[in-house]
Amino acid sequence: MPFAYPQVTRSPHVGAESPQAPAWPGNARCVVAFTVDFDGTGNEVGKGLEPFGAHSAGRYSARRGIARHLDMLERLAIPATFFVPGYDAECSPEAIRSIAQAGHEIGAHGYVHEGMLLEPEEEVRRLTLTHTILSDLLGVSPRGWRSPSGQKTSVTLPTLKSLGYAYDSSDKDADSPYMLDIGGGQSMVEIPNNTYSLDDFPFFNFSMTPVSEVVDQWKREFDLRYAEGGFFMLTVHPRSGWGSGTPSRTNAIEETLRYIQRHRDVHFVRLIDLYEHVSQAPQYFDEVRI
């Protein structure tokens, strides 16, 4: 099986919840990351669809959703991490530059939001292609990556490491960051991304949940993570349709973030900042060998 992962093993728990662990950045009780998956027209193109008419929701990201999210983040003075597919960066370079100019981090997110496993040679080509596109566009190389479909193969992380990536934000198996031993004496930081309860996509695409109920879910999840002194990451998409680029859904995000800001000792971070924190004291975080 060319795409099968080797066996995964986890070290005894010494994670961020441990009393021995160093304080979160900013000496926070709870660290919060707001992440945005651009998911523009490449999402449809990757499925072989023309991004027009009924399949044009991805165009909303660059035309309106990104600007609306950036305005919101400026009002709240919150830093964020945006994950951008290479194709979308090619199609909407000014929108991507506006993100960087606002001081937010930009990570890689596939080329055309690939939803299937690729042959190893093609996967390496697309990872390298997107890396080159973003690096040339921004004048600085991305350090973080998020799988566009949650899938990785045995060549994914070694290739990313060779390109200079420091962390991955794709897995769903923990509440806090941890170390990934990817073999060959190399490691990366994994920053888990819960895409079912802390992501707008399943609520607006599958269950068609009303906006008010989505906000309530996000607040409840934050309350418990805050009580545990842990890590909270919210992921959204600036599209229309199943995304949150439209006014009422962006307002729902803002309501959630303002709710979080009213709590004491909360610190908002870009994922690259969280990576720096974990990498400086890796002995205090879980380690997974793949």
Side-chain angles (χ1 to χ4, degrees), residues 116-135:
M116 62 184 68
L117 296 174
L118 303 169
E119 292 293 333
E121 295 79 6
E122 179 62 13
E123 181 181 4
V124 171
R125 187 188 75 82
R126 294 196 195 188
L127 290 172
T128 304
L129 174 60
T130 293
H131 183 74
T132 300
I133 291 168
L134 292 175
S135 299

Side-chain angles (χ1 to χ4, degrees), residues 161-224:
K161 185 70 176 181
S162 72
L163 291 170
Y165 286 79
Y167 73 84
D168 169 52
S169 182
S170 306
D171 288 346
K172 329 292 179 189
D173 59 348
D175 292 330
S176 295
Y178 57 86
M179 299 300 302
L180 272 175
D181 181 340
I182 64 174
Q186 296 186 316
S187 64
M188 295 178 70
V189 170
E190 178 65 38
I191 306 178
N193 175 38
N194 186 328
T195 54
Y196 285 93
S197 62
L198 290 173
D199 188 305
D200 57 355
F201 172 72
F203 289 116
F204 297 141
N205 186 67
F206 297 123
S207 59
M208 302 298 179
T209 307
V211 170
S212 59
E213 294 182 22
V214 175
V215 173
D216 184 63
Q217 161 67 25
W218 288 341
K219 289 179 179 179
R220 288 174 181 268
E221 186 71 24
F222 170 77
D223 285 342
L224 293 173

